[in-house]
Amino acid sequence: MRRLGQSLRIGVAANGLSLVKTGRLFGSAPLALSEQPLDLFAPDALAPGLRMLFSDLPLAGWPVTVVLADDLLRLWRVAPPPGATRLADLEAAAALRFQHLFGASPLDWRISADWSADNPFLAAAAPRVLLDQLTAAANEHRFHLVEVAPQFVAALNQWRRERRPGAWFGQVHGGVLTLAAYEGRALAAVRTAVIPPGADRDWLEAHVGREALRVGVGRPERLQLCGAAPSSWASSPGRLKFACSLLENIDDGWSELARLARTGSAA
């Protein structure tokens, strides 16, 4: 039975699905309900996987947010064209940049962004076929699909009040480090890299230094990380090249799939 303020969150990754219940009232803590392993890229895998994830849970009428793992999406920075005044100008710039970066037709992807005609903005693209399957699942199970969010964007929004001016922000999930590089308050780039086995603080410092050179900005004084970042990466300012703050405790008993679904939850 759904109580006031409660909602559901579905995490979708290449290797599985997860379902989490959250509530905004009375200090309700998120609750992991179920997980379902699957190969998302196998033919017709998502619909039966969702049916098994939901099992006998009555979802009719529930508001549902879907969080997509970042390896299912494309994330990039868009500089608004000079003199842009219309949303259509910004959409065209995002589509052109997408095609240049990823070599794919934007027609097969749905692009969303925090559109701005004045400052560079973050754009995300999700495969249309995946979004259509999620819409079909909402119709089949009669839940309200409130939002489909990239995990990195959900994390950026979740931790926006904790972010320090000038600091870079990063997320570790599924063995991948995604960084938002900033120059002052302006987003300079979004960079993603696979974390090699045994990556230590020296690797992190070298990686951040290389990314700063590639982007053409100065190395940050602080890096703020969420997700499953190694505790050995954390440090205060001192002899190290930059401070590194871990924003959450990963030793909380939550699986990686459940943590994906929970990303962005206020609870």
Side-chain angles (χ1 to χ4, degrees):
M1 178 179 177
R2 176 174 173 253
R3 296 181 179 178
L4 183 66
Q6 288 185 325
S7 61
L8 297 174
R9 303 177 71 86
I10 299 172
V12 179
N15 64 337
L17 307 168
S18 57
L19 182 65
V20 169
K21 180 170 66 175
T22 63
R24 298 192 308 270
L25 304 178
F26 313 117
S28 300
L31 176 65
L33 298 178
S34 61
E35 292 186 15
Q36 179 60 43
L38 86 163
D39 178 2
L40 186 64
F41 302 115
D44 303 318
L46 184 58
L50 286 170
R51 293 188 193 106
M52 296 181 70
L53 178 74
F54 301 151
S55 186
D56 297 325
L57 297 172
L59 267 67
W62 278 78
V64 174
T65 294
V66 175
V67 182
L68 300 179
D70 290 335
D71 57 355
L72 304 178
L73 305 149
R74 301 292 183 266
L75 297 167
W76 71 105
R77 170 190 178 271
V78 180
T85 58
R86 302 176 304 157
L87 178 59
D89 299 330
L90 303 178
E91 291 174 334
L96 186 64
R97 184 65 175 158
F98 172 88
Q99 193 163 11
H100 174 75
L101 288 173
F102 306 112
S105 170
L107 297 177
D108 298 327
W109 300 73
R110 187 176 302 169
I111 297 175
S112 59
D114 186 15
W115 308 105
S116 172
D118 302 316
N119 299 296
F121 55 87
L122 177 63
R128 289 186 181 276
V129 63
L130 176 57
L131 298 178
D132 290 344
Q133 290 175 323
L134 292 171
T135 299
N139 293 333
E140 176 184 350
H141 299 279
R142 296 184 294 126
F143 60 78
H144 303 300
L145 186 57
V146 176
E147 181 184 16
V148 179
Q151 186 185 16
F152 189 66
V153 174
L156 274 171
N157 292 332
Q158 178 181 355
W159 297 105
R160 64 186 183 279
R161 294 183 179 177
E162 305 295 329
R163 285 162 49 201
R164 296 191 182 182
W168 287 18
F169 177 81
Q171 174 184 268
V172 176
H173 180 84
V176 173
L177 171 62
T178 303
L179 292 174
Y182 289 88
E183 186 171 22
R185 293 182 176 273
L187 176 67
V190 178
R191 308 285 296 185
T192 300
V194 175
I195 303 171
D200 57 11
R201 176 59 190 242
D202 289 338
W203 175 87
L204 179 66
E205 293 200 1
H207 176 70
V208 169
R210 286 192 299 269
E211 294 303 323
L213 287 174
R214 289 191 178 106
V215 175
V217 298
R219 187 170 48 207
E221 294 182 0
R222 178 175 295 273
L223 173 63
Q224 294 178 282
L225 294 176
C226 67
S231 59
S232 61
W233 287 4
S235 72
S236 300
R239 66 176 181 83
L240 299 171
K241 295 177 180 176
F242 56 84
C244 181
S245 304
L246 306 186
L247 297 172
E248 57 186 324
N249 171 30
I250 62 168
D251 297 323
D252 53 9
W254 284 70
S255 69
E256 190 169 66
L257 279 173
R259 191 175 291 112
L260 167 65
R262 191 182 66 180
T263 304
S265 170

